Coordinates of all heavy atoms in Angstrom, one line a residue:
M3 N 0.9 -1.2 -0.1 CA 0.1 0.0 0.0 C 0.8 1.3 -0.1 O 1.8 1.4 0.8 CB -0.9 0.0 1.2 CG -1.6 1.3 1.4 SD -2.8 1.2 2.8 CE -2.0 0.5 4.1
K4 N 0.5 2.1 -0.8 CA 1.3 3.5 -1.0 C 0.8 4.5 0.0 O -0.4 4.4 0.3 CB 1.2 3.9 -2.4 CG 1.9 3.1 -3.5 CD 1.8 3.9 -4.7 CE 2.4 2.9 -5.7 NZ 2.2 3.4 -7.1
A5 N 1.5 5.3 0.6 CA 1.2 6.2 1.7 C 0.2 7.2 1.2 O -0.6 7.9 1.8 CB 2.3 6.8 2.3
N6 N 0.3 7.5 -0.2 CA -0.5 8.4 -0.8 C -1.9 8.0 -1.3 O -2.6 8.7 -2.1 CB 0.2 9.1 -2.0 CG 0.5 8.2 -3.1 OD1 0.3 7.1 -3.1 ND2 1.1 8.7 -4.3
E7 N -2.3 6.9 -0.8 CA -3.7 6.3 -1.2 C -4.6 6.4 -0.1 O -4.7 5.6 0.7 CB -3.5 4.9 -1.7 CG -2.6 4.8 -2.9 CD -2.4 3.2 -3.2 OE1 -3.4 2.6 -3.0 OE2 -1.5 2.9 -3.9
P8 N -5.3 7.8 0.1 CA -6.2 8.0 1.1 C -7.3 6.9 1.3 O -7.7 6.6 2.4 CB -6.6 9.4 0.9 CG -6.4 9.6 -0.5 CD -5.3 8.7 -1.0
G9 N -7.8 6.3 0.3 CA -8.9 5.4 0.4 C -8.4 4.2 1.2 O -9.2 3.7 2.0
Q10 N -7.4 3.7 0.9 CA -6.7 2.5 1.5 C -6.4 2.9 3.0 O -6.7 2.1 3.9 CB -5.5 2.0 0.9 CG -5.8 1.1 -0.4 CD -4.7 0.5 -1.1 OE1 -3.5 1.0 -0.7 NE2 -4.8 -0.5 -1.9
L11 N -5.8 4.1 3.3 CA -5.6 4.4 4.6 C -6.8 4.5 5.5 O -7.0 4.2 6.6 CB -4.8 5.8 4.6 CG -3.4 5.7 4.2 CD1 -2.8 7.0 4.0 CD2 -2.5 4.7 5.0
N12 N -7.9 5.2 4.8 CA -9.1 5.2 5.6 C -9.7 3.9 5.9 O -10.3 3.7 7.0 CB -10.2 5.9 4.7 CG -10.0 7.4 4.7 OD1 -9.2 8.0 5.5 ND2 -10.5 8.1 3.6
R13 N -9.6 2.7 5.0 CA -10.1 1.5 5.4 C -9.2 0.9 6.4 O -9.8 0.1 7.3 CB -10.0 0.6 4.1 CG -11.2 1.0 3.1 CD -11.2 0.1 2.0 NE -10.2 0.1 1.0 CZ -10.0 0.9 0.0 NH1 -10.9 1.8 -0.2 NH2 -8.9 0.8 -0.6
V14 N -7.9 1.1 6.5 CA -7.1 0.7 7.6 C -7.4 1.3 8.8 O -7.5 0.7 9.9 CB -5.6 0.9 7.2 CG1 -4.7 0.6 8.5 CG2 -5.2 0.0 6.0
F15 N -7.6 2.6 8.9 CA -8.1 3.4 10.0 C -9.4 2.8 10.6 O -9.6 2.6 11.7 CB -8.2 4.9 9.7 CG -8.6 5.7 10.9 CD1 -7.7 5.9 11.9 CD2 -9.8 6.4 10.7 CE1 -8.1 6.8 12.9 CE2 -10.2 7.2 11.9 CZ -9.3 7.3 13.0
E16 N -10.4 2.5 9.7 CA -11.7 2.0 10.1 C -11.6 0.7 10.7 O -12.2 0.3 11.7 CB -12.6 2.0 8.9 CG -14.0 1.5 9.1 CD -14.9 1.4 7.9 OE1 -14.7 2.1 6.9 OE2 -15.8 0.7 7.9
L17 N -10.7 -0.2 10.0 CA -10.5 -1.5 10.6 C -9.9 -1.5 12.0 O -10.4 -2.2 12.9 CB -9.6 -2.3 9.6 CG -9.2 -3.8 10.0 CD1 -10.6 -4.5 10.1 CD2 -8.3 -4.4 9.0
I18 N -8.9 -0.7 12.1 CA -8.3 -0.5 13.5 C -9.3 -0.1 14.6 O -9.3 -0.7 15.6 CB -7.0 0.3 13.5 CG1 -5.9 -0.3 12.7 CG2 -6.5 0.7 14.9 CD1 -4.8 0.7 12.3
L19 N -10.1 0.9 14.2 CA -11.0 1.4 15.2 C -12.1 0.4 15.4 O -12.5 0.2 16.6 CB -11.7 2.5 14.6 CG -10.9 3.9 14.7 CD1 -11.7 5.2 14.0 CD2 -10.4 4.3 16.1
K20 N -12.5 -0.4 14.5 CA -13.5 -1.4 14.7 C -13.0 -2.7 15.6 O -13.6 -3.1 16.5 CB -14.0 -2.1 13.4 CG -15.0 -1.0 12.7 CD -15.5 -1.7 11.3 CE -16.5 -0.8 10.9 NZ -17.1 -1.2 9.5
Q21 N -11.7 -2.9 15.3 CA -11.0 -4.1 16.0 C -11.0 -3.6 17.6 O -11.0 -4.5 18.5 CB -9.5 -4.4 15.5 CG -9.8 -5.1 14.2 CD -8.4 -5.3 13.6 OE1 -7.4 -4.6 14.0 NE2 -8.3 -6.2 12.5
R22 N -10.7 -2.4 17.8 CA -10.6 -1.9 19.3 C -11.8 -1.5 19.9 O -11.9 -1.0 20.9 CB -9.6 -0.8 19.2 CG -8.2 -1.3 18.8 CD -7.1 0.0 18.8 NE -5.9 -0.5 18.2 CZ -4.9 -1.0 18.8 NH1 -4.9 -1.1 20.2 NH2 -3.8 -1.3 18.2
G23 N -13.0 -1.6 19.1 CA -14.3 -1.2 19.7 C -14.5 0.2 19.8 O -15.3 0.7 20.5
L24 N -13.9 1.0 18.9 CA -14.0 2.5 19.0 C -14.7 3.1 17.7 O -14.8 4.3 17.8 CB -12.5 3.0 19.0 CG -11.7 2.6 20.3 CD1 -10.3 3.1 20.2 CD2 -12.3 3.2 21.6
W25 N -15.2 2.3 16.9 CA -15.7 2.8 15.6 C -17.0 3.7 16.0 O -17.2 4.7 15.3 CB -16.0 1.8 14.7 CG -16.6 2.2 13.3 CD1 -17.9 2.1 12.9 CD2 -16.0 3.0 12.4 NE1 -18.1 2.8 11.7 CE2 -16.9 3.4 11.5 CE3 -14.7 3.6 12.2 CZ2 -16.6 4.2 10.3 CZ3 -14.3 4.4 11.2 CH2 -15.3 4.6 10.2
R26 N -17.9 3.1 16.8 CA -19.1 3.9 17.1 C -18.8 5.2 17.8 O -19.4 6.2 17.3 CB -20.0 3.0 18.0 CG -21.3 3.7 18.3 CD -22.3 2.7 19.0 NE -23.7 3.5 19.2 CZ -24.5 3.7 18.3 NH1 -24.4 3.0 17.1 NH2 -25.6 4.4 18.6
Q27 N -17.8 5.2 18.7 CA -17.5 6.4 19.3 C -16.9 7.5 18.3 O -17.2 8.6 18.4 CB -16.5 6.2 20.4 CG -17.0 5.4 21.7 CD -15.9 5.0 22.7 OE1 -15.0 4.3 22.3 NE2 -16.1 5.5 23.9
Y28 N -16.1 6.9 17.5 CA -15.5 7.8 16.5 C -16.6 8.4 15.6 O -16.7 9.6 15.2 CB -14.5 7.0 15.6 CG -14.0 7.7 14.5 CD1 -13.1 8.9 14.5 CD2 -14.4 7.4 13.2 CE1 -12.7 9.5 13.4 CE2 -14.1 8.1 12.0 CZ -13.2 9.1 12.1 OH -12.7 9.8 11.0
T29 N -17.5 7.5 15.2 CA -18.8 8.0 14.3 C -19.5 9.0 15.0 O -20.0 9.9 14.5 CB -19.5 6.8 13.7 OG1 -18.6 5.9 13.2 CG2 -20.6 7.3 12.7
E30 N -19.9 8.8 16.2 CA -20.7 9.7 17.1 C -19.9 11.1 17.2 O -20.6 12.2 17.0 CB -20.9 9.1 18.4 CG -21.9 8.0 18.5 CD -22.1 7.3 19.7 OE1 -21.4 7.7 20.7 OE2 -22.9 6.4 19.9
A31 N -18.6 11.1 17.3 CA -17.9 12.4 17.4 C -17.9 13.1 16.1 O -18.0 14.4 16.1 CB -16.5 12.0 17.9
R32 N -17.8 12.2 15.0 CA -17.9 12.9 13.7 C -19.2 13.6 13.4 O -19.3 14.7 12.9 CB -17.7 11.8 12.5 CG -16.2 11.8 12.1 CD -16.1 10.9 10.8 NE -17.3 10.6 10.0 CZ -17.9 9.4 9.8 NH1 -17.3 8.3 10.2 NH2 -18.9 9.3 9.0
I33 N -20.3 12.9 13.9 CA -21.7 13.5 13.7 C -21.8 14.7 14.5 O -22.3 15.8 14.0 CB -22.8 12.5 14.0 CG1 -22.8 11.3 13.1 CG2 -24.2 13.1 14.1 CD1 -23.0 11.5 11.6
I34 N -21.3 14.8 15.7 CA -21.5 16.0 16.6 C -20.6 17.1 15.9 O -21.0 18.2 15.8 CB -20.9 15.6 17.9 CG1 -21.9 14.7 18.6 CG2 -20.7 16.9 18.7 CD1 -21.5 14.2 20.0
N35 N -19.3 16.9 15.4 CA -18.5 17.7 14.9 C -19.2 18.3 13.4 O -19.0 19.5 13.1 CB -17.2 17.3 14.4 CG -16.4 17.2 15.7 OD1 -16.6 17.9 16.7 ND2 -15.3 16.3 15.7
Q36 N -19.9 17.5 12.8 CA -20.6 18.0 11.6 C -22.0 18.6 11.7 O -22.7 18.9 10.7 CB -20.8 16.7 10.6 CG -19.5 16.2 10.1 CD -19.6 14.9 9.2 OE1 -20.8 14.4 9.0 NE2 -18.6 14.3 8.8
W37 N -22.5 18.7 13.0 CA -23.7 19.2 13.3 C -24.2 20.5 12.5 O -25.2 20.5 11.9 CB -24.0 19.3 14.8 CG -25.4 19.6 15.3 CD1 -25.8 20.8 15.8 CD2 -26.6 18.7 15.1 NE1 -27.2 20.6 16.0 CE2 -27.6 19.4 15.6 CE3 -26.7 17.5 14.6 CZ2 -28.9 19.0 15.6 CZ3 -28.0 17.0 14.6 CH2 -29.1 17.7 15.1
P38 N -23.2 21.4 12.5 CA -23.6 22.7 11.7 C -23.9 22.4 10.3 O -24.7 23.0 9.6 CB -22.4 23.6 12.1 CG -21.8 23.1 13.3 CD -22.0 21.6 13.4
T39 N -23.1 21.5 9.7 CA -23.2 21.1 8.2 C -24.5 20.2 8.0 O -25.3 20.6 7.0 CB -22.1 20.2 7.7 OG1 -20.9 20.9 8.1 CG2 -22.2 19.9 6.4
I40 N -24.9 19.5 9.0 CA -26.1 18.7 8.9 C -27.4 19.5 9.1 O -28.3 19.4 8.2 CB -26.2 17.6 10.0 CG1 -25.0 16.6 9.6 CG2 -27.4 16.8 10.0 CD1 -24.7 15.5 10.8
V41 N -27.4 20.4 10.0 CA -28.7 21.2 10.3 C -28.5 22.6 9.9 O -29.6 23.3 9.8 CB -29.1 21.0 11.6 CG1 -29.3 19.6 12.1 CG2 -28.0 21.6 12.7
G42 N -27.5 23.0 9.5 CA -27.2 24.6 9.3 C -26.8 25.2 10.5 O -27.1 24.9 11.6
K43 N -26.1 26.4 10.2 CA -25.6 27.1 11.3 C -26.5 27.8 12.2 O -26.4 27.8 13.5 CB -24.7 28.2 10.7 CG -23.5 27.9 10.1 CD -22.6 29.0 9.4 CE -21.5 28.4 8.8 NZ -20.6 29.4 8.2
T44 N -27.8 28.2 11.7 CA -28.8 28.7 12.7 C -29.3 27.9 13.6 O -29.3 28.1 14.9 CB -30.0 29.3 11.6 OG1 -29.5 30.2 10.8 CG2 -31.1 29.8 12.6
I45 N -29.6 26.5 13.2 CA -30.1 25.5 14.1 C -29.0 25.2 15.0 O -29.2 24.9 16.2 CB -30.6 24.3 13.4 CG1 -32.0 24.7 12.6 CG2 -31.0 23.1 14.3 CD1 -32.5 23.8 11.7
A46 N -27.8 25.0 14.6 CA -26.6 24.6 15.3 C -26.4 25.6 16.4 O -26.1 25.3 17.7 CB -25.4 24.5 14.6
R47 N -26.6 26.8 16.2 CA -26.4 27.9 17.2 C -27.5 27.7 18.3 O -27.2 28.1 19.4 CB -26.5 29.3 16.7 CG -25.2 29.7 15.9 CD -25.2 31.2 15.8 NE -26.2 31.6 14.8 CZ -26.0 31.6 13.4 NH1 -24.8 31.5 13.0 NH2 -26.9 32.0 12.6
Q48 N -28.5 27.3 18.0 CA -29.8 27.1 18.9 C -29.7 25.6 19.6 O -30.5 25.3 20.5 CB -31.0 27.2 18.3 CG -31.3 28.6 17.6 CD -31.4 29.6 18.8 OE1 -31.8 29.4 19.9 NE2 -30.8 30.7 18.5
T49 N -28.6 24.9 19.3 CA -28.5 23.5 19.9 C -27.5 23.7 21.1 O -26.4 24.0 21.0 CB -27.8 22.5 18.9 OG1 -28.6 22.5 17.7 CG2 -27.8 21.1 19.5
S50 N -28.1 23.3 22.3 CA -27.2 23.5 23.5 C -26.6 22.2 24.0 O -25.6 22.1 24.7 CB -28.0 24.1 24.7 OG -29.1 23.3 25.0
K51 N -27.1 21.0 23.4 CA -26.6 19.8 23.9 C -26.9 18.6 22.8 O -28.0 18.6 22.4 CB -27.1 19.3 25.3 CG -26.4 18.1 25.8 CD -27.0 17.8 27.3 CE -26.3 16.6 27.8 NZ -26.7 16.3 29.2
I52 N -25.9 17.8 22.5 CA -26.1 16.7 21.7 C -25.4 15.5 22.3 O -24.3 15.5 22.7 CB -25.4 16.9 20.2 CG1 -25.8 18.2 19.6 CG2 -25.6 15.7 19.3 CD1 -25.0 18.5 18.3
E53 N -26.2 14.5 22.4 CA -25.7 13.3 23.2 C -26.2 12.0 22.6 O -27.5 12.0 22.3 CB -26.1 13.4 24.6 CG -25.5 12.4 25.6 CD -26.0 12.5 27.0 OE1 -26.9 13.3 27.3 OE2 -25.2 11.9 27.9
F54 N -25.4 11.1 22.3 CA -25.7 9.7 22.0 C -26.1 8.8 23.2 O -25.1 8.8 24.0 CB -24.8 9.1 20.9 CG -24.6 9.7 19.7 CD1 -23.8 10.9 19.5 CD2 -25.5 9.3 18.6 CE1 -23.8 11.4 18.2 CE2 -25.5 9.8 17.4 CZ -24.6 10.9 17.2
K55 N -27.1 8.1 23.2 CA -27.3 7.0 24.2 C -27.8 5.8 23.4 O -29.0 5.8 23.0 CB -28.3 7.4 25.4 CG -27.6 8.5 26.3 CD -28.5 8.8 27.3 CE -28.0 9.9 28.3 NZ -29.0 10.3 29.4
G56 N -27.0 4.8 23.3 CA -27.4 3.6 22.4 C -27.7 4.0 21.1 O -26.8 4.7 20.5
D57 N -28.9 3.7 20.7 CA -29.3 4.0 19.2 C -30.2 5.3 19.2 O -30.9 5.4 18.2 CB -30.0 2.9 18.5 CG -31.2 2.4 19.3 OD1 -31.6 3.0 20.2 OD2 -31.9 1.4 18.7
T58 N -30.2 6.0 20.2 CA -31.0 7.4 20.2 C -30.0 8.5 20.4 O -29.1 8.5 21.1 CB -31.9 7.2 21.5 OG1 -32.8 6.1 21.4 CG2 -32.8 8.5 21.4
L59 N -30.4 9.5 19.6 CA -29.8 10.8 19.7 C -30.5 11.8 20.5 O -31.8 12.0 20.2 CB -29.5 11.3 18.3 CG -28.9 12.8 18.2 CD1 -27.5 12.8 18.8 CD2 -28.8 13.2 16.8
F60 N -30.0 12.4 21.5 CA -30.8 13.4 22.2 C -30.1 14.8 22.0 O -29.0 15.0 22.1 CB -30.6 13.1 23.8 CG -31.1 11.8 24.4 CD1 -30.5 10.6 24.1 CD2 -32.4 11.9 24.9 CE1 -31.2 9.5 24.6 CE2 -33.0 10.8 25.4 CZ -32.5 9.5 25.1
I61 N -31.1 15.6 21.6 CA -30.7 17.1 21.2 C -31.5 18.1 22.0 O -32.8 17.8 22.2 CB -31.1 17.3 19.7 CG1 -30.5 16.2 19.0 CG2 -30.7 18.7 19.4 CD1 -31.0 16.1 17.5
K62 N -30.9 18.9 22.6 CA -31.5 20.1 23.4 C -31.4 21.3 22.6 O -30.4 21.8 22.2 CB -30.9 20.2 24.7 CG -31.5 21.3 25.6 CD -31.3 21.1 27.1 CE -32.0 22.0 28.0 NZ -33.5 22.1 27.9
I63 N -32.5 21.8 22.2 CA -32.7 23.0 21.4 C -33.3 24.2 22.3 O -34.2 24.1 23.0 CB -33.7 22.7 20.2 CG1 -33.3 21.6 19.4 CG2 -33.9 24.0 19.4 CD1 -31.9 21.8 18.7
T64 N -32.7 25.4 22.2 CA -33.1 26.6 23.0 C -34.2 27.3 22.4 O -34.8 28.1 23.1 CB -31.9 27.5 23.2 OG1 -31.4 27.9 22.0 CG2 -30.7 26.9 24.0
S65 N -34.5 27.1 21.2 CA -35.7 27.9 20.6 C -36.8 26.8 20.3 O -36.6 25.8 19.7 CB -35.1 28.3 19.2 OG -36.3 28.8 18.4
S66 N -38.1 27.3 20.9 CA -39.2 26.4 20.7 C -39.6 26.3 19.2 O -40.1 25.3 18.9 CB -40.3 26.9 21.5 OG -40.7 28.3 21.2
V67 N -39.4 27.4 18.5 CA -39.8 27.3 17.1 C -38.9 26.2 16.4 O -39.4 25.6 15.6 CB -39.6 28.7 16.4 CG1 -39.8 28.7 15.0 CG2 -40.6 29.7 17.1
I68 N -37.7 26.3 16.5 CA -36.6 25.4 16.0 C -37.0 24.0 16.4 O -37.0 23.0 15.6 CB -35.2 25.9 16.1 CG1 -35.1 27.1 15.3 CG2 -34.3 24.8 15.6 CD1 -33.6 27.7 15.5
R69 N -37.3 23.9 17.6 CA -37.6 22.5 18.2 C -38.8 22.0 17.6 O -38.8 20.8 17.1 CB -37.9 22.6 19.7 CG -38.0 21.3 20.5 CD -38.3 21.5 22.0 NE -37.6 22.5 22.6 CZ -37.9 23.6 23.2 NH1 -39.4 23.8 23.1 NH2 -37.3 24.5 23.8
T70 N -39.9 22.8 17.3 CA -40.9 22.2 16.6 C -40.6 21.9 15.2 O -41.1 20.9 14.7 CB -42.1 23.3 16.7 OG1 -42.4 23.7 18.0 CG2 -43.4 22.8 16.0
E71 N -39.9 22.6 14.5 CA -39.5 22.4 13.1 C -38.7 21.2 13.0 O -38.9 20.3 12.1 CB -38.6 23.5 12.7 CG -38.4 23.7 11.2 CD -37.6 25.0 10.9 OE1 -38.0 26.0 11.4 OE2 -36.8 24.9 9.9
L72 N -37.8 20.9 13.9 CA -36.9 19.6 14.0 C -37.9 18.4 14.1 O -37.6 17.3 13.7 CB -35.9 19.7 15.0 CG -34.7 20.6 14.4 CD1 -33.6 20.6 15.5 CD2 -34.0 20.1 13.2
L73 N -38.8 18.7 15.1 CA -39.8 17.5 15.4 C -40.5 17.0 14.2 O -40.7 15.9 13.9 CB -40.8 17.9 16.4 CG -40.1 17.9 18.0 CD1 -41.1 18.6 19.0 CD2 -39.8 16.5 18.4
M74 N -40.8 18.0 13.3 CA -41.6 17.6 12.0 C -40.6 17.0 11.1 O -41.1 16.3 10.1 CB -42.2 19.0 11.5 CG -43.4 19.5 12.3 SD -44.3 20.9 11.6 CE -42.9 22.1 11.4
L75 N -39.4 17.3 11.2 CA -38.4 16.7 10.3 C -37.6 15.6 10.7 O -36.5 15.2 10.2 CB -37.4 17.8 9.9 CG -38.0 19.0 9.1 CD1 -37.1 20.2 8.9 CD2 -38.5 18.6 7.7
K76 N -38.1 15.0 11.9 CA -37.4 14.0 12.7 C -37.0 12.8 11.8 O -35.8 12.4 11.8 CB -38.2 13.5 13.9 CG -37.6 12.6 14.7 CD -38.6 12.3 15.9 CE -38.1 11.2 16.8 NZ -39.0 11.0 17.9
T77 N -37.8 12.2 11.0 CA -37.5 11.1 10.2 C -36.4 11.4 9.2 O -35.5 10.5 9.0 CB -38.8 10.6 9.4 OG1 -39.8 10.3 10.3 CG2 -38.6 9.3 8.7
Q78 N -36.6 12.5 8.5 CA -35.6 13.0 7.5 C -34.2 13.2 8.2 O -33.1 12.9 7.7 CB -36.0 14.3 6.8 CG -37.2 14.1 5.8 CD -38.5 14.4 6.5 OE1 -38.6 14.2 7.7 NE2 -39.4 14.9 5.8
L79 N -34.2 13.8 9.4 CA -33.1 13.9 10.1 C -32.3 12.7 10.5 O -31.1 12.7 10.3 CB -33.3 14.8 11.4 CG -32.0 15.4 12.2 CD1 -31.1 16.1 11.3 CD2 -32.6 16.2 13.3
I80 N -33.1 11.8 10.9 CA -32.5 10.4 11.2 C -31.8 9.8 9.9 O -30.7 9.3 10.0 CB -33.6 9.4 11.7 CG1 -34.0 9.8 13.0 CG2 -33.1 7.9 11.6 CD1 -35.4 9.1 13.6
D81 N -32.5 10.0 8.9 CA -32.0 9.5 7.5 C -30.7 10.2 7.2 O -29.7 9.5 6.8 CB -32.9 9.7 6.4 CG -34.2 8.6 6.5 OD1 -34.0 7.7 7.3 OD2 -35.2 8.9 5.8
V82 N -30.7 11.5 7.3 CA -29.4 12.2 7.0 C -28.2 11.8 8.0 O -27.1 11.7 7.5 CB -29.6 13.7 7.1 CG1 -28.4 14.6 7.0 CG2 -30.7 14.3 6.0
I83 N -28.5 11.6 9.2 CA -27.4 11.3 10.3 C -26.9 9.9 9.9 O -25.7 9.8 9.9 CB -28.0 11.5 11.6 CG1 -28.2 12.9 12.0 CG2 -27.0 10.8 12.7 CD1 -28.9 13.1 13.2
N84 N -27.9 9.0 9.6 CA -27.3 7.6 9.3 C -26.6 7.6 8.0 O -25.6 6.9 7.9 CB -28.6 6.7 9.3 CG -29.1 6.3 10.7 OD1 -28.3 6.4 11.7 ND2 -30.3 6.1 10.8
S85 N -26.9 8.4 7.1 CA -26.3 8.5 5.9 C -24.9 9.0 6.1 O -23.8 8.6 5.5 CB -26.9 9.3 4.8 OG -26.2 9.5 3.6
K86 N -24.8 10.2 6.8 CA -23.5 10.7 7.2 C -22.6 9.7 7.9 O -21.4 9.8 7.8 CB -23.6 12.0 8.0 CG -24.2 13.1 7.3 CD -23.3 13.9 6.6 CE -23.9 15.2 5.9 NZ -23.0 15.9 5.0
A87 N -23.2 8.8 8.7 CA -22.5 7.9 9.5 C -22.0 6.7 8.7 O -21.2 6.0 9.2 CB -23.4 7.5 10.7
G88 N -22.6 6.6 7.5 CA -22.2 5.4 6.7 C -22.9 4.2 7.1 O -22.6 3.0 6.7
G89 N -24.1 4.3 7.8 CA -24.8 3.1 8.2 C -25.8 3.4 9.3 O -26.0 4.6 9.7
Q90 N -26.5 2.4 9.9 CA -27.4 2.6 10.9 C -26.7 3.0 12.3 O -26.3 2.2 13.0 CB -28.2 1.4 11.2 CG -29.4 1.4 12.0 CD -30.5 2.2 11.6 OE1 -30.8 2.2 10.3 NE2 -31.4 2.6 12.5
L91 N -26.7 4.3 12.5 CA -26.2 4.7 13.7 C -27.2 5.0 14.8 O -27.1 4.5 16.0 CB -25.4 6.0 13.5 CG -24.7 6.6 14.8 CD1 -23.5 5.7 15.3 CD2 -24.1 8.0 14.5
I92 N -28.4 5.6 14.4 CA -29.5 5.9 15.3 C -30.9 5.5 14.7 O -30.9 5.3 13.4 CB -29.6 7.3 15.6 CG1 -29.9 8.2 14.4 CG2 -28.4 7.9 16.3 CD1 -30.2 9.6 14.6
Q93 N -31.7 5.1 15.6 CA -33.0 4.7 15.3 C -34.2 5.8 15.6 O -35.1 5.8 15.1 CB -33.4 3.3 15.9 CG -32.6 2.3 15.2 CD -33.2 0.9 15.8 OE1 -34.2 0.7 16.3 NE2 -32.3 0.0 15.7
D94 N -33.8 6.7 16.7 CA -34.7 7.6 17.2 C -33.9 8.9 17.6 O -32.7 8.8 17.8 CB -35.4 7.0 18.4 CG -36.6 7.8 18.7 OD1 -37.1 8.7 17.9 OD2 -37.1 7.7 19.8
I95 N -34.6 10.0 17.6 CA -34.0 11.2 18.1 C -35.1 11.7 19.1 O -36.3 11.7 18.9 CB -33.9 12.2 17.0 CG1 -33.0 11.8 15.8 CG2 -33.5 13.7 17.4 CD1 -32.8 12.8 14.8
V96 N -34.5 12.2 20.2 CA -35.3 12.9 21.2 C -34.8 14.4 21.4 O -33.8 14.7 21.5 CB -35.1 12.2 22.7 CG1 -35.8 13.0 23.9 CG2 -35.6 10.8 22.7
I97 N -35.9 15.3 21.0 CA -35.7 16.6 20.9 C -36.3 17.3 22.0 O -37.6 17.3 22.2 CB -36.1 17.2 19.6 CG1 -35.5 16.4 18.4 CG2 -35.8 18.7 19.5 CD1 -36.0 16.7 17.1
T98 N -35.6 18.0 22.8 CA -36.2 18.8 24.0 C -35.8 20.2 24.0 O -34.8 20.5 23.2 CB -35.9 18.2 25.4 OG1 -34.3 18.1 25.5 CG2 -36.3 16.7 25.5

């Protein structure tokens, strides 16, 4: 393997994390870091807490208007997050 082949390096990195049982934690951290990209900067600024517990994502939103909007888009948000994660990361979202 050549060092300049990022696809192969990514696969090796993924394999190491999976072997050590760290892949889920890594994926959860990636989703949290990508939150502004996933939901947009306005919603991200109104998000005071993001936490994974098992297959559920808990989100605390400071704006009741945005909270209501996200509740209506819950299914689509689950799909987007799972897509960004590269597989089934969450099954539910609790928005408070």
Side-chain angles (χ1 to χ4, degrees):
M3 171 175 38
K4 295 180 183 176
N6 63 353
E7 296 179 25
Q10 286 185 338
L11 290 176
N12 286 339
R13 286 190 291 278
V14 170
F15 180 67
E16 180 180 340
L17 180 63
I18 290 169
L19 288 175
K20 284 181 177 179
Q21 286 175 344
R22 298 179 187 265
L24 299 171
W25 181 250
R26 183 172 180 89
Q27 291 171 301
Y28 170 74
T29 304
E30 290 172 357
R32 264 191 21 238
I33 295 301
I34 291 170
N35 286 333
Q36 292 177 0
W37 188 247
T39 304
I40 293 170
V41 296
K43 290 180 183 180
T44 302
I45 294 174
R47 280 193 295 267
Q48 298 296 322
T49 305
S50 63
K51 187 174 184 180
I52 305 172
E53 182 178 22
F54 289 89
K55 289 184 182 178
D57 62 359
T58 303
L59 176 61
F60 292 83
I61 306 168
K62 183 157 180 65
I63 303 293
T64 57
S65 165
S66 61
V67 173
I68 291 176
R69 187 178 320 114
T70 302
E71 197 174 317
L72 285 178
L73 284 168
M74 291 188 298
L75 298 171
K76 186 174 166 177
T77 303
Q78 292 93 327
L79 188 55
I80 290 170
D81 291 342
V82 169
I83 290 169
N84 285 332
S85 175
K86 293 273 186 191
Q90 181 77 29
L91 181 65
I92 62 170
Q93 291 185 18
D94 195 18
I95 298 177
V96 175
I97 303 168
T98 58

